[in-house]
Amino acid sequence: MNMKWTMSFLALSGALAYALIFVAQTGGDAVAQAPQPQTTPPPTPAVVDPAPEPPQVLTEAELRPTETPHFEDPWRVGVQAFQSGDLEVALAALKASVEERPNSAYRHYLLGLAFRRNGSVAAALTEFERSLALAPESVKTLLALGRVQLDLGEPEAAREAVDRALEIDLDAADAWQVLGRIEMAQGQGEEAEAAFRAAILRDPDHAWAWNNLGYLYIQEERFAEASEALLHAVRSPRPDAVFFNNLGVALERTEDLSRAALAYAKADLMGSEAAATSHARVATRLTAEGVDFATADSVELLEAAELLAELTAVDASAVVEADAADLGEEWVATRTEESVEGDSESLVRW
């Protein structure tokens, strides 16, 4: 049962896997010949937790009690504090809300998310298990359970949770995305790639699936393919600093130093310390070559469309008008054609 969805997906897309192996083998030599800069590894892929429903806006006094926490409406306060990132207040209020309604699966679920974001992984696991006992068919809770089990270094337990989620909803993109992380954790590169692609097939705008696919390619030294995947990730309406840092790594490894500096500068601006270090390294090389480069200060002045235009080397208006859903449909068409005809070269286009 544990491997059923992985094996099922791979059986249905055997030709795709063969094509991907072919691409990796034929493109590897050229990449390997590029000079390898000294660089720190990109950050470990992160995950996105489902956002709770927005509550009524609260006053500052409600959000930040100065004495022993007492909330007229602990659930409302807890959700608002969780959304605003005030984990101390969120945890206090959500604990109170669970005591108020111990049979609410969603309250246990959100408390588990708050614990996980606070680094209290064991407590998060407990809350997700309690939530799941109350709502056994909840896909989002099963996936949260799988994520926290990955945090605890238990990929097989995580796989069991994700398999259960896929039994309930085979088209859940997040489930395939977490499955890809499980496969990566167990060193199964081909299976991880297939799972991330399954997530993208179901949700072409799944930024974390694109990011983690790019991260996988970086690990496999498939840097040009990593750049393409990560360019999809940074097009997200709410891109994470890790996307830009990973893109910088991929571009640097292909000796595209100017665009690497731009990606690192954006990640630095968003608070990535690793990107700041990498930007300094690339800046030293570009300065020695007499080439101008982007900095965090210059990137701050760029609109999102301008930044993407410079990263993708296309006209800014084209970036604004590009429809990510169309990109996904194009990939689906390529995937179908490839599975029938075995055209491995078609995969390079996306």
Side-chain angles (χ1 to χ4, degrees):
M1 175 67 74
N2 285 344
M3 292 293 295
K4 60 187 278 190
W5 291 118
T6 301
M7 297 305 297
S8 175
F9 179 81
L10 290 174
L12 290 173
S13 58
L16 173 59
Y18 175 84
L20 293 171
I21 295 169
F22 176 81
V23 172
Q25 291 173 339
T26 55
D29 291 341
V31 173
Q33 292 172 3
Q36 296 296 305
Q38 294 182 353
T39 181
T40 54
T44 301
V47 293
V48 172
D49 293 312
E53 297 179 1
Q56 179 181 345
V57 176
L58 305 175
T59 66
E60 186 69 15
E62 287 179 293
L63 283 173
R64 294 186 176 277
T66 57
E67 301 177 355
T68 302
H70 173 72
F71 311 100
E72 292 297 327
D73 187 345
W75 172 243
R76 188 164 58 96
V77 174
V79 172
Q80 179 70 26
F82 179 83
Q83 289 184 316
S84 67
D86 191 338
L87 291 179
E88 182 178 354
V89 172
L91 285 168
L94 290 171
K95 287 176 185 177
S97 78
V98 166
E99 292 176 359
E100 182 180 77
R101 289 185 56 189
N103 293 325
S104 169
Y106 191 65
R107 294 191 181 199
H108 284 288
Y109 167 77
L110 190 57
L111 179 56
L113 293 186
F115 273 130
R116 183 169 182 253
R117 291 190 185 181
N118 194 47
S120 303
V121 182
L125 178 66
T126 298
E127 293 305 320
F128 292 143
E129 288 174 339
R130 289 171 176 169
S131 179
L132 196 61
L134 294 165
E137 300 297 301
S138 172
V139 170
K140 66 185 178 184
T141 305
L142 284 164
L143 297 182
L145 184 63
R147 288 177 175 124
V148 81
Q149 286 164 334
L150 276 174
D151 295 340
L152 292 167
E154 299 177 0
E156 281 305 320
R159 186 186 297 278
E160 182 178 345
V162 172
D163 278 350
R164 288 173 61 191
L166 286 169
E167 286 179 350
I168 297 166
D169 184 1
L170 185 60
D171 288 325
D174 280 348
W176 289 104
Q177 143 71 8
V178 180
L179 180 59
R181 294 187 59 221
I182 294 168
E183 301 292 7
M184 275 208 306
Q186 296 190 311
Q188 304 295 326
E190 292 180 28
E191 290 84 349
E193 183 174 17
F196 291 139
R197 286 181 175 277
I200 292 164
L201 179 64
R202 288 157 175 80
D203 179 6
D205 298 330
H206 201 303
W208 283 102
W210 282 116
N211 174 74
N212 291 351
L213 180 63
Y215 178 79
L216 174 66
Y217 287 155
I218 288 172
Q219 291 182 316
E220 296 178 345
E221 299 189 354
R222 296 160 65 181
F223 303 118
E225 292 168 272
S227 297
E228 291 298 321
L230 291 161
L231 282 170
H232 281 279
V234 300
R235 289 189 181 104
S236 167
R238 291 182 296 277
D240 194 278
V242 70
F243 302 169
F244 287 100
N245 183 68
N246 287 352
L247 177 59
V249 171
L251 291 169
E252 183 180 1
R253 294 297 186 90
T254 59
E255 288 297 293
D256 192 342
L257 298 185
S258 293
R259 287 202 298 166
L262 179 60
Y264 284 141
K266 177 61 175 179
D268 179 14
L269 183 64
M270 297 173 73
S272 170
E273 294 182 6
T277 300
S278 296
H279 184 273
R281 178 183 60 253
V282 171
T284 299
R285 294 183 61 188
L286 290 172
T287 299
E289 296 171 9
V291 177
D292 292 334
F293 54 87
T295 65
D297 289 340
S298 66
V299 167
E300 190 171 15
L301 301 175
L302 291 178
E303 297 291 337
E306 294 176 307
L307 174 66
L308 291 175
E310 291 193 25
L311 284 172
T312 56
V314 297
D315 181 71
S317 62
V319 175
V320 173
E321 295 171 3
D323 186 348
D326 289 342
L327 292 173
E329 290 170 4
E330 179 180 319
W331 187 88
V332 172
T334 301
R335 163 69 179 86
T336 303
E337 176 186 346
E338 186 280 326
S339 65
V340 174
E341 300 180 4
D343 177 13
S344 61
E345 294 302 320
S346 67
L347 292 171
V348 177
R349 292 200 300 270
W350 72 266

